[in-house]
Amino acid sequence: MTALMIGLAGPELTAQDKINLRHPLVCGVIFFKRNFVDYKQLTQLITATKAIKGDDCLFAVDQEGGRVIRFGLPFTQLDPLATIGDAFDSNPDKGKTYAHLHAWLMASELLSIGIDLSFAPVLDIDNGSNVIGDRAFSTDPDTVSTLGEIYCRSMQAAGMKTTGKHYPGHGTVVADSHVDLPIDDRLWDELENLDLKPFVQLIDAGCIDAMMLSHVIYSKSCDLPAGYSNVWNEILLRKKHGFRGISISDDLGMKAAECVGPVEKRYQACVDADIDMTLVCDFDLCTELLSNNRLKYLPRYTQKLSKIRRLKGQSTLDTDRPFWEQSRWQNARKALIHLRNS
């Protein structure tokens, strides 16, 4: 079976949220802007969710920086990754320091309130995609690899596991998988020598704990999106590239994900591909899927849950105090601001 990470309706748990959370296939929660009012409310929501699911529940968010920030102040409003890449192009040492501070602040702030994962870093290249753009470090795959490794090491130093996305690369295909079905018709050699390079290099470096597969069809390899594909998840990611971490399929609510049918068929496609975990971010779609009586729990699923729970984070800050009161965070924040202004 494939574990589910689900979205919640809003800033407080509803009766249906509580029902959804109790389903045995649900292993975690992904948060969005709709779930955030302020720091106090967010911590209360996390506490209420833990009261239902326990401490093993994974909490995640996309807090990349730039266009993709779910939590407002007091969380640092980080720059897009392209800003780091631009700094690296003009001064490599500055760019490397920027990547370190950006990653450490992001991870430390989230971990301090019980968020285990920010699905980061983006390892796509900026090569014409309507959805990637400045979410990527660079147009150059070697720069993405260099900065991506620093970013991963800094996340891990803060106590957070890393998630490379969107394997095997969403940066060159133009269409946005949130609203369309992107099809990449390039030959294998073209993909391997460009988009795939950062993913392979960071797998080899041993700094990727989880990998999020895209909802893009790479037609020369498989007629299914990568997140539904045994070819990409098993034959290529695991066997060819030697990845030993957690595989994650992108949100089943995206337009591209609809290509195999209604939500129960999308979930089954993830099961067939032996994906470890998939996201169902839309509350109504989540409720529809979990209400399906054919969605059965299997005993061997317990083994997969044990594997997924390795993604739990461990804060290196004092979790009994707000992060902004702590000297390590204050010093890192000052250094980031100085770097921005230099």
Side-chain angles (χ1 to χ4, degrees):
M1 299 297 283
T2 294
L4 295 171
M5 177 170 277
I6 66 171
L8 303 175
E12 298 179 354
L13 291 181
T14 65
Q16 186 62 52
D17 281 324
K18 295 174 183 178
I19 293 171
N20 292 347
L21 286 167
R22 291 188 177 99
H23 196 286
L25 288 178
V26 173
C27 73
V29 172
I30 180 168
F31 294 89
F32 290 89
K33 287 183 178 179
R34 68 178 183 264
N35 306 121
F36 178 81
V37 175
D38 55 35
Y39 180 88
K40 181 179 180 181
Q41 166 272 326
L42 180 61
T43 57
Q44 290 173 339
L45 180 59
I46 292 170
T47 299
T49 305
K50 280 188 177 181
I52 294 172
K53 290 298 291 183
D55 290 334
D56 285 338
C57 184
L58 286 174
F59 295 95
V61 67
D62 291 308
Q63 190 84 343
E64 298 172 12
R67 287 176 286 144
V68 185
I69 289 182
R70 311 304 192 197
F71 300 155
L73 296 173
F75 297 91
T76 302
Q77 302 302 283
L78 297 160
D79 297 320
L81 296 187
T83 306
I84 300 172
D86 291 342
F88 179 83
D89 289 342
S90 61
N91 183 330
D93 287 339
K94 178 180 178 180
K96 291 175 182 179
T97 302
Y98 206 159
H100 163 68
L101 292 169
H102 193 288
W104 189 89
L105 280 165
M106 177 276 293
S108 295
E109 291 175 2
L110 296 175
L111 288 166
S112 74
I113 63 162
I115 300 287
D116 298 291
L117 297 167
S118 177
F119 288 125
V122 171
L123 297 177
D124 304 305
I125 60 171
D126 179 11
N127 195 32
S129 168
N130 288 336
V131 69
I132 300 301
D134 66 358
R135 295 172 65 192
F137 286 111
S138 176
T139 60
D140 174 53
D142 292 323
T143 298
V144 173
S145 298
T146 297
L147 294 175
E149 181 170 354
I150 293 169
Y151 205 92
C152 286
R153 301 294 186 199
S154 297
M155 287 176 64
Q156 290 168 335
M160 180 176 283
K161 304 297 186 181
T162 61
T163 306
K165 64 184 188 186
H166 306 80
Y167 177 88
H170 200 320
T172 295
V173 64
V174 174
D176 177 356
S177 52
H178 293 84
V179 296
D180 205 346
L181 176 58
I183 299 176
D184 192 328
D185 292 321
R186 287 176 297 161
L187 297 172
W188 171 259
D189 286 350
E190 295 177 79
L191 190 63
E192 187 175 39
N193 293 326
L194 193 63
D195 297 70
L196 258 171
K197 283 183 73 175
F199 296 96
V200 174
Q201 289 180 16
L202 267 66
I203 290 171
D204 290 344
C207 60
I208 298 293
D209 300 298
M211 192 74 80
M212 183 178 289
L213 284 73
S214 73
H215 284 314
V216 176
I217 294 175
Y218 305 88
S219 59
K220 296 297 189 291
S221 300
C222 185
D223 59 2
L224 289 170
Y228 293 155
S229 170
N230 184 265
V231 172
W232 279 109
N233 184 49
E234 289 295 316
I235 298 173
L236 295 172
L237 178 60
R238 297 200 181 279
K239 293 180 181 178
K240 181 178 178 61
H241 298 140
F243 183 65
R244 296 292 178 264
I246 308 302
S247 63
I248 304 171
S249 182
D250 211 342
D251 179 21
L252 297 189
M254 294 164 66
K255 185 66 177 179
E258 297 176 5
C259 67
V260 296
V263 67
E264 61 269 18
K265 291 189 176 181
R266 299 173 216 171
Y267 174 76
Q268 186 59 49
C270 293
V271 173
D272 293 342
D274 201 22
I275 296 289
D276 292 315
M277 182 172 74
T278 191
L279 310 181
V280 190
C281 301
D282 180 80
F283 168 74
D284 291 330
L285 195 67
C286 169
T287 301
E288 178 184 344
L289 177 62
L290 295 176
S291 300
N292 188 327
N293 292 328
R294 294 189 298 275
L295 198 62
K296 301 296 184 182
Y297 164 75
L298 298 179
R300 77 179 187 89
Y301 172 67
T302 304
Q303 297 175 349
K304 183 163 284 191
L305 276 183
S306 177
K307 177 183 175 184
I308 291 168
R309 283 166 181 156
R310 297 174 195 166
L311 297 178
K312 288 292 292 182
Q314 183 64 54
S315 179
T316 57
L317 293 180
D318 180 357
T319 56
D320 292 328
R321 291 189 295 150
F323 59 80
W324 61 85
E325 292 182 358
Q326 302 184 48
S327 60
R328 289 181 64 197
W329 179 89
Q330 292 167 358
N331 291 336
R333 179 66 181 273
K334 287 177 184 176
L336 181 71
I337 292 171
H338 175 76
L339 200 64
R340 280 174 170 171
N341 296 332
S342 63

